[in-house]
Amino acid sequence: MKAIECTKPEQLTLVDRSVPERKTGEVLLRMLRAGICGTDMHIYAGNQPYFEYPRVIGHELSAEVVESDPESGLRDGDLVYINPYIACHSCIACRSAKTNCCVSLSVLGVHRDGGLAHYLSLPRENVIKADGLGADQAAMVEFLAVGAHAVARAQVREGTSVLVTGGGPIGIGVALFASLRGAKVTVVDMREERLRFCAGHLGVETEHAGEGLRERLLDRTSGEMFATVFDATGSPAAMEAGFLNVAHGGTYVLVSIVNARIGFEDPEFHKREMSLLSSRNAQLQDFERVVKAMRDGHVPTKAMNTHTVAFEDLPREMPNLIHSNSGTIKALVQIG
Ligand SMILES: [Zn+2]
Ligand SMILES: [Zn+2]
């Protein structure tokens, strides 16, 4: 079979691999689609810490069951999506059901070989039936679950004023699931096409980042700012600036992770009695929320899928997908 390996920074290579042998308790899968996201782009650019080259990338995955244990509840040909987080089930986080932040978490396509390959064998618990979805939709569950998880963590409610900074795929997921809870959502981004997407397909308010943003946000909220602010920018400067966008008594959720120190003025933090949260990956119930929203027709998956790439073409197409002017929201690789 073929697989796509990130051999070294800025190089993807189509390589020959043998079809993996399924162990007991695992499911052998024929891969169908893989979404490309910021993580893949960081790996490709060479600025993902802890990544060891070479590695088969791909963690936003849909597949078809080829073979599983009789008691697995899966049948050959079932369409499935993948939970790419492989947890230890014994550490302190796993013991309190927070497998998304397992001490020794191993993520497909990052810490171990991922799904940009014709076949993959995975533990049964990481393979979830995607009844009622298409192969494209099933490959979009993971990144949206990251947004759904952040919204659940912040306990967003009907009528909550929410600000989402960063209108990429993760910010879109946050804005979507906050809206579905009845929050009043504003999205900030520097890119006009992302703001157009959010206004047009999610029905949220938008503000262009840059000059005078703080004044415009104050105006928009009658000087109160936002009860819940989510950062999905991947920018240390934006994460620091975001503290001032939180209302008194409000919550700040850092969804994107940066390889840097970030700081804040304690008086600004304290006078608000601000709750500061990080949000990492997603849990099974977040994946399930996304699937339900897709089945209910609340997720504009067709519009999000701006680019489709054939498996063999990805090594050549990757630089174009990364280019910020390409207007990419979600690129899906067609594997099978
Ligand atoms: Zn991703
Ligand atoms: Zn663990």
Side-chain angles (χ1 to χ4, degrees):
M1 69 166 196
K2 298 279 185 199
I4 295 178
E5 204 177 70
C6 193
T7 321
K8 58 181 189 184
E10 311 213 346
Q11 189 180 324
L12 295 184
T13 317
L14 202 60
V15 294
D16 283 304
R17 290 278 179 103
S18 47
V19 174
E21 255 179 63
R22 185 182 77 86
K23 300 187 196 86
T24 306
E26 289 188 346
V27 184
L28 181 64
L29 300 161
R30 189 171 76 83
M31 305 313 293
L32 296 177
R33 305 281 188 278
I36 299 296
C37 83
T39 301
D40 303 306
M41 293 182 187
H42 286 304
I43 290 169
Y44 181 75
N47 50 27
Q48 167 82 2
Y50 318 122
F51 186 83
E52 282 175 23
Y53 300 87
R55 169 85 67 226
V56 176
I57 59 170
H59 61 275
E60 301 182 2
L61 303 165
S62 66
E64 185 184 276
V65 173
V66 175
E67 189 187 77
S68 58
D69 295 329
E71 67 278 14
S72 68
L74 296 170
R75 287 216 216 129
D76 298 358
D78 276 351
L79 175 70
V80 295
Y81 67 91
I82 307 303
N83 173 349
Y85 316 127
I86 299 183
C88 78
H89 296 290
S90 62
C91 75
I92 184 166
C94 287
R95 291 200 309 274
S96 53
K98 293 186 59 118
T99 50
N100 61 308
C101 58
C102 168
V103 174
S104 45
L105 189 70
S106 174
V107 180
L108 286 181
V110 181
H111 307 105
R112 59 169 78 190
D113 280 345
L116 271 163
H118 286 135
Y119 294 91
L120 187 64
S121 188
L122 286 179
R124 167 67 185 91
E125 64 171 18
N126 293 86
V127 177
I128 304 149
K129 267 208 236 191
D131 292 344
L133 304 187
D136 290 350
Q137 288 182 309
M140 286 192 258
V141 172
E142 191 267 348
F143 79 86
L144 291 168
V146 172
H149 181 69
V151 170
R153 237 169 111 49
Q155 301 180 321
V156 171
R157 292 192 174 81
E158 171 111 48
T160 304
S161 61
V162 165
L163 180 70
V164 182
T165 46
I170 298 296
I172 286 172
V174 172
L176 174 67
F177 285 92
S179 292
L180 289 176
R181 287 183 176 222
K184 199 173 165 294
V185 179
T186 303
V187 175
V188 169
D189 201 282
M190 292 184 307
R191 298 192 208 170
E192 203 51 56
E193 81 271 8
R194 287 181 165 183
L195 296 179
R196 265 202 310 274
F197 178 90
C198 290
H201 293 282
L202 307 181
V204 298
E205 302 285 318
T206 58
E207 278 288 353
H208 207 281
E211 188 97 10
L213 175 65
R214 190 172 147 69
E215 287 65 36
R216 281 179 280 136
L217 294 177
L218 281 164
D219 252 10
R220 190 178 269 284
T221 55
S222 316
E224 290 187 330
M225 294 310 240
F226 297 83
T228 308
V229 176
F230 294 91
D231 175 90
T233 60
S235 150
M239 286 161 94
E240 290 184 338
F243 280 85
L244 297 181
N245 296 332
V246 181
H248 280 236
T251 300
Y252 191 22
V253 189
L254 302 178
V255 191
S256 52
I257 173 172
V258 291
N259 199 9
R261 274 181 87 88
I262 62 161
F264 55 87
E265 295 296 326
D266 188 53
E268 296 292 341
F269 180 67
H270 250 97
K271 79 181 181 193
R272 290 169 169 79
E273 199 186 46
M274 190 187 303
S275 300
L276 178 61
L277 300 173
S278 65
S279 184
R280 186 181 178 197
N281 299 331
Q283 296 174 334
L284 185 59
Q285 57 267 39
D286 305 307
F287 286 88
E288 287 169 348
R289 277 187 198 107
V290 174
V291 171
K292 182 177 185 312
M294 282 181 173
R295 283 186 191 133
D296 292 347
H298 294 315
V299 187
T301 43
K302 275 222 163 65
M304 280 178 194
N305 176 204
T306 49
H307 293 65
T308 301
V309 184
F311 182 68
E312 294 77 14
D313 294 343
L314 184 65
R316 201 185 60 227
E317 287 294 322
M318 193 70 170
N320 301 333
L321 294 178
I322 288 180
H323 201 270
S324 69
N325 292 331
S326 69
T328 311
I329 292 178
K330 181 52 65 181
L332 292 181
V333 181
Q334 293 218 317
I335 308 172

